[in-house]
Amino acid sequence: MKNHVLFGPLGALLLAQGVISPAMAQTAPQPVADAVPQSDNSQLGDIIVTANKRSQSLNNVGLSINAADGDQLTRLGVRDTGDLVKIAPGLTFTKSQDGTPLFTIRGVGFNDYTLGASPAVSVYVDQVPLTYSAYTQGATLDLERVEVLKGPQGILFGQNSTGGAINYIAAKPTKDFAAGVKASYGRFNTFDGEAYISGPITENLGFRLAGSTTQSDDWQYSYTRKDKLGGQDILRGRFLLDWKPTDTLSFLFSANGWRNKSDTQAAQLVGIKLQQDASAPGLYDPVATLPRIAAFRAYPLAPDNARAADWDTGRDLSRDDSLYQFSLRGDLELGGGITLTSLTAYTRFHQKYNLDRDGTTLQNAGVESRGNVKSFNQELRLSGDSDRFNWVVGGNYAKNKVISADIFLVNDSTNTAILPGIGVESAVTTITQNIRDIAGFGNAEYKLTDTLTLLAGARYTDSRNDFTECMRGAPGHRTTFWQLSQLISGVTQPAPDASTCVNLDQNTFLLIRTPDESRLHEHNFSWRVGANYKPTRDLLLYALVSRGFKSGSFPTVPASTTFQFAPVKQESVTAYEAGIKATALDRKLQVNAAIFHYVYDDKQIRGTVIDPIFNQLEKLVNIPKSRINGAEIDVTVRPVSGLTLRAAGTYVDSKVLEFVGINNDRVTGDYRGSALPFSPKWQFVGDAEYRFDLGGSLSAFVGGNVLFNSRTNSTVGDPASSAIKKFATLDLRAGVNGPDDKWSVSVWGRNVTNTYYWTNQFVTSDVIGRYAAMPVTYGVSASFNF
């Protein structure tokens, strides 16, 4: 990486600092308007968020937001982004078939495991984008707080935020020396440790260094033999430098990264969904197919136990994923409340994992995935802050180069869709994507009266994706494709060698031989308008209409023809929302509520196509029309000193209005009226905590957290094989804190009722599989701050 890539903005800000007259220097920032500090333990404290890229009281932001500070996240056991479901009803987390984290908010999400697929819910750390979901594994390290923003957030947080945005705010360098450690030990010999050290280097330069690790033994076991899987081996680190060379110029440099060498999760076999049967016509010999059918039908299904699964013997089912990221933010106060901000980031990601997602020991269709990504992001913006008018204008440039190689291991003795004669072979699909986004944006809030504020924002984005793919096979695999190509096309062709691309052209069925190249070029205009009405300090009424876009995408699939690599076009969500935020009972009660209606156009999903060779394969498709109606409420109350109660729930009614597709039974149907994937109708979060004095400067706490999700599906039009049943979990915690919370010791249990539930169920390679959630875990934690 060349110096001018990361530090070019630094030079520009330094130059601007020298040119601008010192007379324009701004005084110290003013306190956040209407922010009320917590006066005693009987009141609820004020929460500061940066949803509009400036510090504001949560009760002054006309937007649905769930926020929690670092201490809350620790007490609730939030170890990764998926655990945020404990604080944010409406947020759904699952793993894709290949283990990629997937996030859905209010029914808006993208169920795809392609490395270069941008999610519909964007994730940021200190406003620096974690472009792809696979990047997010180290985001929860050493946090000040996290904010979950619901609804389209494309104006300030990028085009791929149709569902919402998750913004992590890292703990910053301190003016005085500070250090701390915290650790926990629990079931499966799980050790979680985190430490930080922070303080000044010089009068104008401070630092913060933090690191953590997660280590554990295997938690899954094979129910057909003596074997275990599921160990964790994760390291995370972050280094921050906060430099303020002058009163009006500041820089924040961040270097962070993580490494994950954990095992991949094995799926549970819960049903059989054969791709071919004995009566299959054409290329499939019924006699050769019969033993494969018998092998699957004889295989025992997994018991209803979260730990029970099965996987191929003799395969190393582990990960070797890593990420490092450098970012630099510079802020120059120009005077008159105007600030120039530059935000630059460079990210490198490496992925290598082996996976068995069919839940059997049959060598049916394994996956070995390799990938590398280089990401560069640059944002430059001007913002103004005054009593009545707040605004921001700026631009973004992003470039991502994604190279992935997915190796699909096939075996013609077990997989019913593999043609005889291939034997045990592998096909390697290599995909390269060069993705470039350019955007300009603006947002303004004008206080028309002392009680009424109007807001408007817009963003124009130009996106381009240059896509190249090629599948190369081992000798038996490419010979079979060559023979099939000649048989179907009727054209004699030269035999392929190791460098030949053996996908078939979707029209002629000839071998494409050379890499297939495509380009997806799109542009869109996102916008937002709204009004905030605040008749008193303790009451906010708001109304908001916004439209956001998610860019189109190419898939990573085991394809026989180029038809499967056709991209889906961009999707859009037009959202209507009205809400209230109210504080009452001398700031002992907080009530936030909202109703919303989404018009969802061209939703992107992973669907099914009928293939002339392999019968049933995957492809990305668009759902032309759908809609989402819903409501949510979040109530926090402190009825007596030390006791805090919270109840929050979301109702989501999603419905497909127009879509003809193919389900997992290879039946084409009209799926109007179906619910959208991963959109449970009801979600509920409840939390209670009581803190009390023990005497001698000691205090104690006891608490519990309840999470409930109603049933949902992982895809459209196939409720039986994609069903995710309703579930409820209960977490408990109790502990003792030392003087001024310098130290603490606690015990905890998660999913203490040992509820068996799963977050994804899918059809893959002759089977129905699911990923079970963790069973009951329990342990002890301790922390100490110097």
Side-chain angles (χ1 to χ4, degrees), residues 440-464:
F441 62 90
N443 191 66
E445 296 183 17
Y446 181 68
K447 198 169 185 179
L448 192 64
T449 69
D450 290 340
T451 58
L452 180 63
T453 300
L454 305 180
L455 58 107
R459 183 188 193 97
Y460 175 79
T461 302
D462 182 278
S463 178
R464 188 182 71 201

Side-chain angles (χ1 to χ4, degrees), residues 164-187:
I166 300 171
N167 190 21
Y168 289 101
I169 292 86
K172 300 301 186 294
T174 52
K175 293 182 179 180
D176 300 316
F177 176 81
V181 294
K182 56 185 177 182
S184 68
Y185 178 79
R187 191 183 184 192

Side-chain angles (χ1 to χ4, degrees), residues 73 77-88 91-95 100-105 119 121-125 130 132-141 143 146-148 165-168 234 236 238 258:
L73 298 175
V78 175
R79 299 163 56 198
D80 55 43
T81 302
D83 290 329
L84 292 178
V85 296
K86 297 180 182 181
I87 67 168
L91 172 66
T92 301
F93 167 77
T94 187
K95 293 179 180 178
T100 307
L102 302 174
F103 309 105
T104 302
I105 295 181
V121 177
S122 300
V123 181
Y124 295 78
V125 176
L130 300 178
Y132 303 114
S133 295
Y135 286 11
T136 63
Q137 298 178 51
T140 56
L141 171 65
L143 294 177
V146 63
E147 305 163 4
V148 180
I166 300 171
N167 190 21
Y168 289 101
I234 306 172
R236 313 171 193 88
R238 180 183 294 127
W258 53 262

Side-chain angles (χ1 to χ4, degrees), residues 166-340:
I166 300 171
N167 190 21
Y168 289 101
I169 292 86
K172 300 301 186 294
T174 52
K175 293 182 179 180
D176 300 316
F177 176 81
V181 294
K182 56 185 177 182
S184 68
Y185 178 79
R187 191 183 184 192
F188 309 118
N189 289 322
T190 302
F191 173 78
D192 274 302
E194 182 174 313
Y196 78 91
I197 183 171
S198 176
I201 298 175
T202 68
E203 183 179 355
N204 298 322
L205 179 64
F207 81 99
R208 189 178 185 103
L209 177 65
S212 71
T213 186
T214 301
Q215 305 288 326
S216 77
D217 291 342
D218 301 320
W219 70 277
Q220 291 188 293
Y221 69 85
S222 168
Y223 61 92
T224 64
R225 65 189 192 280
K226 189 175 181 180
D227 204 357
K228 291 185 178 181
L229 185 72
Q232 297 182 84
D233 180 3
I234 306 172
L235 299 175
R236 313 171 193 88
R238 180 183 294 127
F239 177 66
L240 296 175
L241 284 175
D242 188 359
W243 182 39
K244 193 172 180 64
T246 72
D247 291 339
T248 58
L249 180 64
S250 62
F251 295 97
L252 180 65
F253 170 77
S254 174
N256 70 87
W258 53 262
R259 187 222 67 191
N260 185 356
K261 291 190 174 184
S262 305
D263 290 341
T264 56
Q265 183 173 350
Q268 294 184 309
L269 176 68
V270 296
I272 302 298
K273 184 77 71 169
L274 298 179
Q275 300 168 86
Q276 297 287 350
D277 58 35
S279 61
L283 302 171
Y284 290 86
D285 179 2
V287 175
T289 307
L290 281 172
R292 313 179 191 183
I293 295 172
F296 279 106
R297 289 181 173 167
Y299 209 94
L301 301 183
D304 289 345
N305 183 319
R307 299 185 61 193
D310 232 342
W311 55 92
D312 293 350
T313 58
R315 286 187 63 202
D316 176 15
L317 299 178
S318 64
R319 292 185 172 274
D320 187 3
D321 300 348
S322 60
L323 174 142
Y324 66 82
Q325 183 180 72
F326 301 104
S327 68
L328 178 67
R329 172 172 174 164
D331 291 281
L332 174 62
E333 298 173 11
L334 303 178
I338 299 175
T339 302
L340 173 65

